[in-house]
Amino acid sequence: MKKVLILGGILMAGILGYFHIPYISQPSCQPIRQTDLNETFSVLPRYVRFIEGFLGSANKFFLSGHRVNFYLFTDHPEKVPSINLAPEKRLFIIPVQNYSRWQDISMNRMDIISNHVHSHWRYEVDYLYSMDIDVQMFEHIGVEIIDTLVGTISSWQYTKPRDSNSYERHPESRAAIPHGEGDFYYAASFYGGSVSEVYKLTTACFKGVTEDRANGIEAKWHEESHLNKYLLYHKPTRLLSPEYYWDEELIRPRIIRVKRLSSVRKDLQEVRF
């Protein structure tokens, strides 16, 4: 019997939806400080309000006509709105715990994904793609994204020279990439691949996060730094251009002719608790 292709989209909302804080000049590989808990920018955003816009656009543009399971992680399952999806698409709401800092949200989602692949998803889907919830789709995203291991080039850094990319450079971190090494800078906002490869990626990245924590270290861009280290030595079999995750803080140049998936503009004050 021929196996039916089923895809899983891992969505992060509420506790697991986070946004990129505007760059703040500071040394990378910072020791974990208790005062981080009180820093102004570490207050968690209320991301539940982005769910309806994301799912409405994904229902229309994401792999139309194919069977897709959306796995939505949130610490506010009771606040998820009712969404009418196409018959071939299903939504699964998975409650998760709250965390004190957005940095912990960012780093722990690799562990959550790895655990759910091992316990459930390897029996349910063939491919998995992780996306932030604070995005919307504007053009069709089809089977061109299907491959063994898929990375998306960051819209912030695709024109920068390799040595200017925001890799973790401090050798103390497990996410460290030495100067002179690196291919592209990959966005943690959209990546995926086969279930087995996503399991390897998320397990390895969380192992690096855990080892850093044991040494009092946080990588420069948290789980995204570990993702870039992994993809440097485990090359993606499919590379997606920045049109598959464009940041609305940027002016779109002529070279990016299509904006398929884009972040939603948000006000920092507006999304705080």
Side-chain angles (χ1 to χ4, degrees):
M1 179 180 293
K2 185 177 180 180
K3 189 175 184 180
V4 178
L5 176 67
I6 307 177
L7 299 108
I10 310 163
L11 316 177
M12 310 295 176
I15 188 63
L16 285 176
Y18 74 99
F19 58 100
H20 295 288
I21 303 299
Y23 179 73
I24 299 172
S25 180
Q26 60 179 352
S28 62
C29 202
Q30 288 282 353
I32 301 172
R33 302 169 298 148
Q34 182 63 31
T35 52
D36 285 342
L37 300 178
N38 301 319
E39 289 176 347
T40 304
F41 60 84
S42 70
V43 182
L44 297 176
R46 192 183 295 277
Y47 265 64
V48 173
R49 68 189 182 94
F50 297 117
I51 295 174
E52 188 169 4
F54 176 90
L55 286 176
S57 65
N59 187 48
K60 180 178 181 181
F61 293 118
F62 189 72
L63 290 156
S64 298
H66 295 276
R67 295 178 63 185
V68 178
N69 292 347
F70 293 115
Y71 300 104
L72 174 64
F73 289 94
T74 178
D75 61 338
H76 291 297
E78 76 285 354
K79 295 183 180 180
V80 176
S82 177
I83 306 290
N84 291 321
L85 297 175
E88 69 275 11
K89 292 183 169 69
R90 296 189 297 170
L91 173 63
F92 298 86
I93 301 169
I94 304 174
V96 291
Q97 72 176 81
N98 204 329
Y99 289 94
S100 300
R101 308 182 311 143
W102 69 266
Q103 293 94 334
D104 294 325
I105 299 166
S106 171
M107 292 186 290
N108 278 289
R109 70 174 177 176
M110 289 289 189
D111 184 42
I112 293 171
I113 292 170
S114 174
N115 286 335
H116 277 78
V117 169
H118 186 264
S119 62
H120 294 94
W121 295 339
R122 59 180 173 152
Y123 307 113
E124 297 176 4
V125 296
D126 300 305
Y127 293 88
L128 280 169
Y129 293 84
S130 174
M131 290 171 276
D132 289 343
I133 199 68
D134 59 326
V135 299
Q136 288 192 19
M137 300 179 192
F138 298 94
E139 297 287 344
H140 287 284
I141 296 177
V143 295
E144 76 277 1
I145 70 168
I146 306 300
D147 216 319
T148 305
L149 184 60
V150 180
T152 303
I153 300 173
S154 169
S155 55
W156 280 92
Q157 304 192 52
Y158 71 101
T159 60
K160 288 186 177 182
R162 179 172 61 184
D163 283 341
S164 298
N165 284 334
S166 295
Y167 300 130
E168 175 55 66
R169 296 297 193 186
H170 283 66
E172 297 89 353
S173 173
R174 298 295 295 171
I177 293 177
H179 287 282
E181 293 191 27
D183 297 319
F184 303 96
Y185 189 86
Y186 301 99
S189 302
F190 188 18
Y191 65 89
S194 69
V195 172
S196 61
E197 288 301 319
V198 170
Y199 179 72
K200 293 175 187 176
L201 181 155
T202 54
T203 301
C205 287
F206 189 69
K207 182 175 184 289
V209 168
T210 302
E211 292 177 4
D212 274 2
R213 280 177 174 166
N215 294 315
I217 293 170
E218 276 187 3
K220 184 175 184 178
W221 290 114
H222 310 99
E223 106 276 22
E224 189 169 80
S225 296
H226 290 274
L227 173 71
N228 274 272
K229 174 69 173 289
Y230 184 86
L231 293 179
L232 173 61
Y233 299 111
H234 305 81
K235 305 297 186 188
T237 57
R238 181 68 53 97
L239 195 60
L240 301 180
S241 81
E243 72 188 73
Y244 286 88
Y245 181 77
W246 187 258
D247 195 310
E248 280 299 304
E249 298 298 321
L250 299 171
I251 297 174
R252 184 157 55 100
R254 290 184 178 180
I255 193 173
I256 306 296
R257 296 182 178 273
V258 178
K259 182 175 66 176
R260 299 186 185 278
L261 185 149
S262 177
S263 65
V264 177
R265 286 190 178 274
K266 60 194 76 68
D267 180 80
L268 184 60
Q269 299 294 332
E270 191 177 318
V271 296
R272 288 180 177 172
F273 282 112

